[in-house]
Amino acid sequence: MHHETEALFGRGTDTHARSARWLILLRLVVLLLSVSVMFMVSAADNPFAPALVYTILLGLSAINLTYLALLRLIRLRTERFLEFQTLVDMCAVTMLVFLTGGPASPFVYLFFFSIMGAGIVLSNRSNTFFACLAVALLSGVVILHKLGIGRELILREFLPAEDIVPQAGRLLLIAAGFFMVSFLCGLLRARLAISRIVNEEILQNM
């Protein structure tokens, strides 16, 4: 797996840092686009999302800007730094999903972007770990909702349905989606690694 990472990103920390930078910029684009879309579909008398949701998304954007600044100071173990970023983002997304209805939350898609990023720039083991972590976190949200723990914290605009069956079915579909995205990104990563190796061999033989 380590050799696959080298094949995909090249040898040396500069290429790893470049990959990390692109991943952070992608997160920023997704987060700011989410805020923009919510603002556009909101009416003045009936906002789509409370101010707390905007605060969390903008807070995540600020965290990613901090990542960009820290990236200049980190020369070694960039892959560990990427894993840390993904972990922090997933925890923040879990809080957002908990506050906005669990599996029915309109922000579940943010999990998919975290898994996609991990699948493309990290090792297969890390990719699988984060897919499993996303399923575990989302399952934990469903269990907390069912037990009524923290229900007073859930934004009233997104209160989940009392019936657990629709939530369970939605959870199973989303979990399957997590693993499918993880698998496909792993395949893409392997193909990119092979393509890079072939291109390097062609250039060396020219």
Side-chain angles (χ1 to χ4, degrees), residues 59 137 170:
L137 291 173
R170 191 177 288 112

Side-chain angles (χ1 to χ4, degrees), residues 1 17 22 35 38 54 73 75-76 80 94 112 114 118 124 126 143 145 150 152 157 159 171-172 175:
M1 294 179 185
W22 278 109
V35 172
M38 286 193 304
Y54 289 101
L73 305 176
R75 298 299 180 186
L76 300 175
R80 290 288 176 266
T94 301
F112 285 98
S114 295
N124 290 335
S126 296
I143 292 172
H145 281 182
E152 67 279 1
E157 293 88 346
L159 281 174
L171 175 61
L172 290 175

Side-chain angles (χ1 to χ4, degrees), residues 83 86-95 97-98 102-103 107-119 125-143 170-182:
E83 291 172 350
T86 305
L87 181 61
V88 171
D89 284 351
M90 279 197 170
C91 290
V93 171
T94 301
M95 179 175 65
V97 169
F98 176 83
F107 302 104
V108 169
Y109 71 92
L110 293 176
F111 276 120
F112 285 98
F113 280 99
S114 295
I115 295 171
M116 287 171 60
R125 181 170 59 184
S126 296
N127 180 21
T128 304
F129 168 77
F130 283 115
C132 293
L133 178 63
V135 173
L137 291 173
L138 192 56
S139 299
V141 169
V142 172
I143 292 172
R170 191 177 288 112
L171 175 61
L172 290 175
L173 289 175
I174 294 173
F178 286 165
F179 286 111
M180 181 62 69
V181 169
S182 173

Side-chain angles (χ1 to χ4, degrees), residues 6-11 15 191-201:
E6 287 185 345
L8 179 57
F9 296 129
R11 298 176 185 273
T15 311
R191 296 298 183 272
L192 289 173
I194 294 172
S195 176
R196 183 183 181 88
I197 292 173
V198 172
N199 289 337
E200 288 179 351
E201 291 179 350

